[in-house]
Amino acid sequence: EAGVAQSPRYKIIEKRQSVAFWCNPISGHATLYWYQQILGQGPKLLIQFQNNGVVDDSQLPKDRFSAERLKGVDSTLKIQPAKLEDSAVYLCASSLWGTDTQYFGPGTRLTVL
Amino acid sequence: AQTVTQSQPEMSVQEAETVTLSCTYDTSESDYYLFWYKQPPSRQMILVIRQEAYKQQNATENRFSVNFQKAAKSFSLKISDSQLGDAAMYFCAYRKGETSGSRLTFGEGTQLTVNP
């Protein structure tokens, strides 16, 4: 069974630029999560999707961050414009509906200069 | 709000020895799940072990076991016969027991070093 796929693995941008990350969850997983992990900290949830609907985006900085999950499969997380403090690893995870275990992708390391 | 605390930023252990990583949490919920995740330098978060709060029996997975003390809100991870491949950052995580799925709340992590 293929795991959660993410791309790119690394991204370096200048502040005020835009960036987008892509995630492909495990086949059949209805729930998809985006986490932000700042260096030296545990991951923090940004947004959670159930199929293509948003379940929880309470910690998403909506003035600059946006995410979508078209057709309830792949998802894209966008930052526009990026700030220095957005430098972090962005992790995507997925889980089956009604289960408690989340499976993580390898993450995208973003550096904002 | 739920919080998870890992009071040991770094731990070290000799190969083949046993080490225990500590975790405490705060919640007013009665139904929840607890997890330990391992994150090696590759950044991939790997599930090590999970515990349902309603189960009194401590979970075990091969060399990994937990000591779940619900009243004390404590959830420690014991690694027996430590191996070089166990070296990683370990995160304790909490999740409310909702059937529709909910966020994981992570601790700050414990960096484990395994010395040969």
Side-chain angles (χ1 to χ4, degrees), chain B residues 34-105:
Chain B
L34 296 165
F35 305 83
W36 279 98
Y37 277 88
K38 169 185 176 181
Q39 188 177 42
S42 66
R43 303 198 304 267
Q44 183 102 34
M45 296 282 276
I46 302 165
L47 178 65
V48 175
I49 199 165
R50 60 186 283 277
Q51 173 82 43
E52 296 99 329
Y54 62 85
K55 288 188 176 180
Q56 292 187 331
Q57 186 174 5
N58 289 324
T60 61
E61 287 288 342
N62 300 314
R63 299 183 294 107
F64 299 87
S65 61
V66 298
N67 184 4
F68 174 47
Q69 301 289 327
K70 191 171 184 179
K73 296 181 181 176
S74 171
F75 183 61
S76 60
L77 174 70
K78 185 172 80 170
I79 306 174
S80 303
D81 186 24
S82 296
Q83 300 176 1
L84 295 177
D86 295 333
M89 181 72 85
Y90 286 81
F91 290 96
C92 178
Y94 163 99
R95 174 191 173 278
K96 285 196 296 185
E98 298 169 342
T99 56
S100 61
S102 64
R103 73 173 70 179
L104 286 170
T105 300

Side-chain angles (χ1 to χ4, degrees), chain A residues 50-70:
Chain A
Q50 187 65 39
N51 295 310
N52 60 351
V54 175
V55 174
D56 183 354
D57 64 355
S58 58
Q59 298 186 108
L60 185 75
K62 299 179 184 65
D63 58 333
R64 298 183 300 105
F65 286 65
S66 64
E68 61 182 8
R69 191 182 183 197
L70 299 177

Side-chain angles (χ1 to χ4, degrees), chain A residues 2-113:
Chain A
V4 176
Q6 289 187 249
S7 67
R9 291 297 308 275
Y10 303 90
K11 190 73 177 178
I12 300 174
I13 61 172
E14 301 281 336
K15 61 182 179 182
R16 292 186 290 273
Q17 285 187 322
S18 301
V19 65
F21 313 126
W22 174 82
C23 173
N24 179 243
I26 293 173
S27 178
H29 282 198
T31 311
L32 185 147
Y33 312 80
W34 282 102
Y35 289 87
Q36 180 193 56
Q37 185 179 19
I38 294 172
L39 185 64
Q41 299 181 17
K44 180 187 77 173
L45 182 77
L46 291 175
I47 189 167
Q48 176 187 343
F49 290 95
Q50 187 65 39
N51 295 310
N52 60 351
V54 175
V55 174
D56 183 354
D57 64 355
S58 58
Q59 298 186 108
L60 185 75
K62 299 179 184 65
D63 58 333
R64 298 183 300 105
F65 286 65
S66 64
E68 61 182 8
R69 191 182 183 197
L70 299 177
K71 300 180 181 179
V73 181
D74 293 4
S75 178
T76 302
L77 176 69
K78 297 179 182 177
I79 307 175
Q80 180 180 7
K83 292 185 175 181
L84 296 177
E85 58 261 37
D86 298 332
S87 294
V89 174
Y90 291 84
L91 296 166
C92 180
S94 68
S95 66
L96 282 167
W97 167 266
T99 65
D100 56 273
T101 300
Q102 297 179 22
Y103 298 88
F104 285 80
T108 297
R109 181 180 296 279
L110 173 67
T111 302
V112 182
L113 302 177

